[in-house]
Amino acid sequence: LVLVVGLVNFFFRVLPANRLENNRIYQMAAAIRQKTEPGSIVMIAGCGSNPSIYSKIYIPYFGHRNVYILDWMLGKGFRFQDLKDKILQDISEGNSVYILSELLKPGKALQHLARNHDLDLKKFLDFFNGFEPEKKVPLTGDYYLIEVKAPEQ
């Protein structure tokens, strides 16, 4: 019985999950690689949901893009002003900066981030509204990127 359960689990759960065409997070990272420029930076929550948790590994490794993992940055004492300064510096150096859609709409990743770092969600979302959206880049499923540019002075 144990052998049968093990074989069923392997063939119907483990094996299909390891096929790249079935891996949503890999597909997202591959789409980011195809649709963004080398040197681009992608901001993610890095917590709260499977796509967010694994994207902090998949985007740099398979997408070949830098990531700002807000869960880690806020955990190291970054404030909104620090993050804004870093984004503006990157943009001024010619790097494209993108926000993953999980940071722009209610969901597990955003709720977890707010809970972990005692964030006011309204202030958090207002922070992103301070940047000018450049373009929307569709990824997989209902995920997308928003490229941001410096606000008009």
Side-chain angles (χ1 to χ4, degrees), residues 7 20 54:
L7 287 172
L20 291 180
Y54 292 110

mmCIF file of all heavy atoms in Angstrom, residues 7 20 54:
data_model
loop_
_atom_site.group_PDB
_atom_site.id
_atom_site.type_symbol
_atom_site.label_atom_id
_atom_site.label_comp_id
_atom_site.label_asym_id
_atom_site.label_seq_id
_atom_site.Cartn_x
_atom_site.Cartn_y
_atom_site.Cartn_z
ATOM 1 N N LEU A 7 4.055 5.723 -5.441
ATOM 2 C CA LEU A 7 4.101 5.783 -6.907
ATOM 3 C C LEU A 7 3.023 6.711 -7.467
ATOM 4 O O LEU A 7 3.289 7.496 -8.387
ATOM 5 C CB LEU A 7 3.958 4.381 -7.504
ATOM 6 C CG LEU A 7 5.182 3.477 -7.347
ATOM 7 C CD1 LEU A 7 4.851 2.052 -7.792
ATOM 8 C CD2 LEU A 7 6.356 4.028 -8.118
ATOM 9 N N LEU A 20 8.478 22.279 -16.572
ATOM 10 C CA LEU A 20 8.515 23.741 -16.644
ATOM 11 C C LEU A 20 7.224 24.338 -17.196
ATOM 12 O O LEU A 20 6.799 25.405 -16.762
ATOM 13 C CB LEU A 20 9.713 24.198 -17.471
ATOM 14 C CG LEU A 20 11.079 23.956 -16.824
ATOM 15 C CD1 LEU A 20 12.189 24.444 -17.729
ATOM 16 C CD2 LEU A 20 11.161 24.610 -15.465
ATOM 17 N N TYR A 54 8.361 32.367 -4.071
ATOM 18 C CA TYR A 54 9.321 31.750 -4.993
ATOM 19 C C TYR A 54 9.856 32.711 -6.046
ATOM 20 O O TYR A 54 10.928 32.483 -6.598
ATOM 21 C CB TYR A 54 8.696 30.522 -5.660
ATOM 22 C CG TYR A 54 8.470 29.404 -4.672
ATOM 23 C CD1 TYR A 54 7.191 29.034 -4.279
ATOM 24 C CD2 TYR A 54 9.551 28.737 -4.093
ATOM 25 C CE1 TYR A 54 6.986 28.026 -3.356
ATOM 26 C CE2 TYR A 54 9.354 27.733 -3.167
ATOM 27 C CZ TYR A 54 8.077 27.379 -2.803
ATOM 28 O OH TYR A 54 7.887 26.377 -1.881
#
